[in-house]
C-alpha cells in the first residue's frame, strides 16, 4: 500500500476569493463616481443598444442607454434569464472601442451561468449590443495653447 500524501495547497487566494475581489472592484468603481467624462475624456456621447434574447429566441429586453460625460460609468447588464443572477459586463468592449476611437461596434455574448446551483446546463440568454461613440472635436495644432 502506498503512503498517504497530503495534497499541495495553492498558497495564493482561492478562485472564490478572486471572484469576490473582482466583484468588489466593479462595485467600488460604480460607487466612486467614476464618470464617463473622467474615464474617457475624448468622448462626447456613448450610445449602447442592448437586445437580450432567450435560448428559444424570445425577446426579453430591448433598450438603448445614452451616456454623456457627466453620467456614471455603468457597463453591466443584468441577465433576465432563468439563471437569476447572471451579468454581462461590457466594460472591456467599451474600453477597446474608445481606445481605438471607433465610431460604431457590434458584439454579442451568451450567459454562461448555470440555471441552478450544481447544474451543468447554462442559462443561454444572448446579448447583442451595438456601441456608438461620438468624440469631442480635436483641436488643430495652431489652435492649441502653448
Amino acid at each position: 500500500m502506498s503512503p498517504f500524501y497530503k495534497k499541495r495547497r495553492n498558497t495564493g487566494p482561492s478562485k472564490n476569493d478572486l471572484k469576490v475581489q473582482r466583484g468588489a472592484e466593479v462595485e467600488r468603481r460604480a460607487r466612486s463616481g467614476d464618470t464617463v467624462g473622467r474615464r474617457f475624456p475624448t468622448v462626447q456621447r456613448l450610445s449602447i443598444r442592448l437586445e437580450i434574447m432567450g435560448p428559444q429566441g424570445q425577446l426579453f429586453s430591448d433598450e438603448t442607454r445614452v451616456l454623456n460625460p457627466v453620467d456614471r460609468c455603468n457597463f453591466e447588464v443584468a441577465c433576465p434569464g432563468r439563471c437569476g443572477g447572471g451579468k454581462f459586463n461590457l466594460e472591456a468592449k467599451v474600453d477597446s472601442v474608445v481606445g481605438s476611437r471607433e465610431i460604431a461596434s457590434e458584439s454579442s455574448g451568451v450567459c454562461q451561468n448555470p440555471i441552478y446551483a450544481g447544474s451543468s446546463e447554462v442559462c443561454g440568454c444572448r446579448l447583442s449590443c451595438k456601441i456608438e461613440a461620438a468624440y469631442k472635436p480635436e483641436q488643430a495644432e495652431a489652435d492649441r495653447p502653448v
Side-chain angles (χ1 to χ4, degrees):
M1 185 168 165
S2 64
F4 173 75
Y5 291 105
K6 210 173 177 183
K7 289 184 179 180
R8 289 187 186 207
R9 173 149 165 73
N10 189 359
T11 57
S14 68
K15 288 193 289 186
N16 192 42
D17 290 339
L18 293 173
K19 181 180 175 183
V20 169
Q21 288 173 359
R22 286 191 303 268
E25 175 65 22
V26 168
E27 287 179 24
R28 185 193 63 76
R29 275 190 181 168
R31 279 180 284 150
S32 71
D34 197 12
T35 62
V36 173
R38 248 190 250 154
R39 189 140 175 227
F40 307 114
T42 60
V43 173
Q44 185 174 359
R45 184 179 52 83
L46 276 174
S47 175
I48 304 173
R49 184 171 185 275
L50 305 167
E51 187 177 276
I52 301 176
M53 299 188 83
Q56 285 82 28
Q58 68 275 32
L59 183 65
F60 281 156
S61 175
D62 188 9
E63 68 175 287
T64 301
R65 295 181 183 178
V66 177
L67 301 171
N68 294 311
V70 294
D71 295 329
R72 286 192 173 186
C73 291
N74 183 11
F75 302 121
E76 274 195 353
V77 179
C79 175
R82 36 189 196 161
C83 63
K87 294 186 190 255
F88 298 100
N89 193 344
L90 304 174
E91 190 170 339
K93 183 63 179 173
V94 172
D95 282 342
S96 72
V97 168
V98 173
S100 60
R101 288 192 63 93
E102 292 180 51
I103 295 172
S105 177
E106 292 186 25
S107 66
S108 63
V110 177
C111 181
Q112 296 296 317
N113 277 10
I115 57 173
Y116 57 87
S119 172
S120 62
E121 187 179 354
V122 295
C123 176
C125 284
R126 182 174 186 81
L127 169 75
S128 298
C129 76
K130 182 175 183 178
I131 301 171
E132 295 177 350
Y135 299 97
K136 294 178 182 174
E138 293 185 33
Q139 292 179 337
E141 276 302 314
D143 296 340
R144 289 188 187 185
V146 179

